[in-house]
Amino acid sequence: MMTRMTRVHAINTRRRRFGGVYAVTPDCDNTADLLHRVHLALLGGISVLQYRNKTANEALRFEQAQALCQLVHEFSIPFIVNDDARLAADVGADGVHLGVADGGVTETRALLGKDKFIGVSCYNHLPSAQAAVAAGADYVAFGAFYSSSSKPFAVRATPELLQHACAEFVVPVVAIGGINLSNSAVLIQSGAHAVAVISALFDAPDIRLAAQNFAGMFAQYAAPAYSPTHTT
């Protein structure tokens, strides 16, 4: 049985691996180009990479996820697969990010094991995050905070919700949705341990510099080291 202090220590260790720039790959069928762009982002200092490709077929998704997993692990940061726990297991990813229709935390944990990250999209719904954390999620994500091209009709979350979530949970909280350099500061100041970015990073004329600039936002605006004293 994991004690409260053991769980807090484990979460703190995971949080130190999970703060900062959470890069999400764009839809890209050209694997060589995708790897090149991700490599630039890694050189710029991203903290997490999530593989997400909504247009690829199963074979391409496996090819890209496997290649990205190898590349990302050279930089010793977590590699997360979007939506597909089986794919995450097959390529040796560090975890999976679940949406509303992607299965529950308990069954995903049974598939991936206790040492893998399981993140859950909670949109703008705090009770969903409470349920996810209670089930053993390693991080929760809220958004969209701003309009985005990848999900133009997504429900909106507010910085106030982010503040409530960060005050309540001992697991990392990720902000997502339309985030760029201009609007990221308010989310980091509201407590976000990581901000998820797609186009603001991978469509930038200088991907490496964009990653450095996002990382710099955390150096400038992030709260002191995370050391929760409460339970969920």
Side-chain angles (χ1 to χ4, degrees):
M1 176 71 69
M2 180 178 285
T3 67
R4 172 186 173 275
M5 290 304 297
T6 301
R7 175 165 170 75
V8 168
H9 175 74
I11 290 169
N12 275 336
T13 301
R14 285 176 177 270
R15 190 267 171 179
R16 283 192 289 272
R17 296 185 65 200
F18 232 87
V21 187
Y22 185 124
V24 181
T25 61
D27 292 340
C28 179
D29 291 342
N30 185 327
T31 301
D33 179 56
L34 179 62
L35 289 169
H36 173 68
R37 293 159 76 180
V38 168
H39 187 241
L40 292 173
L42 289 163
L43 291 172
I46 64 172
S47 300
V48 183
L49 182 82
Q50 181 192 123
Y51 172 60
R52 178 183 186 271
N53 191 335
K54 295 296 188 179
T55 63
N57 60 33
E58 184 176 350
L60 181 59
R61 280 170 52 80
F62 181 83
E63 171 194 316
Q64 292 185 337
Q66 188 174 52
L68 286 169
C69 187
Q70 180 178 347
L71 174 61
V72 170
H73 284 168
E74 292 176 7
F75 286 78
S76 300
I77 69 167
F79 174 65
I80 306 296
V81 171
N82 180 257
D83 292 349
D84 193 336
R86 173 53 62 185
L87 178 61
D90 288 345
V91 302
D94 298 295
V96 68
H97 185 87
L98 302 176
V100 66
D102 298 326
V105 173
T106 301
E107 53 265 41
T108 301
R109 181 68 68 199
L111 173 63
L112 295 183
K114 64 182 179 62
D115 295 324
K116 300 295 185 179
F117 290 102
I118 299 176
V120 180
S121 286
C122 302
Y123 311 100
N124 61 355
H125 195 231
L126 195 63
S128 295
Q130 292 166 338
V133 172
D138 296 295
Y139 72 91
V140 291
F142 291 94
F145 286 93
Y146 309 102
S147 178
S148 72
S149 58
S150 62
K151 292 187 176 182
F153 304 109
V155 296
R156 292 296 181 87
T158 66
E160 291 74 23
L161 174 65
L162 191 60
Q163 291 170 2
H164 286 303
C166 292
E168 177 171 349
F169 301 128
V170 296
V171 301
V173 176
V174 180
I176 192 168
I179 299 171
N180 56 42
L181 278 174
S182 298
N183 60 31
S184 61
V186 66
L187 302 177
I188 297 169
Q189 289 173 320
S190 295
H193 303 117
V195 294
V197 289
I198 306 177
S199 59
L201 176 62
F202 288 109
D203 289 346
D206 187 331
I207 294 172
R208 182 173 182 173
L209 179 60
Q212 291 172 339
N213 288 338
F214 273 110
M217 298 298 285
F218 279 89
Q220 183 174 357
Y221 294 109
Y226 185 59
S227 181
T229 58
H230 53 276
T231 60
T232 56

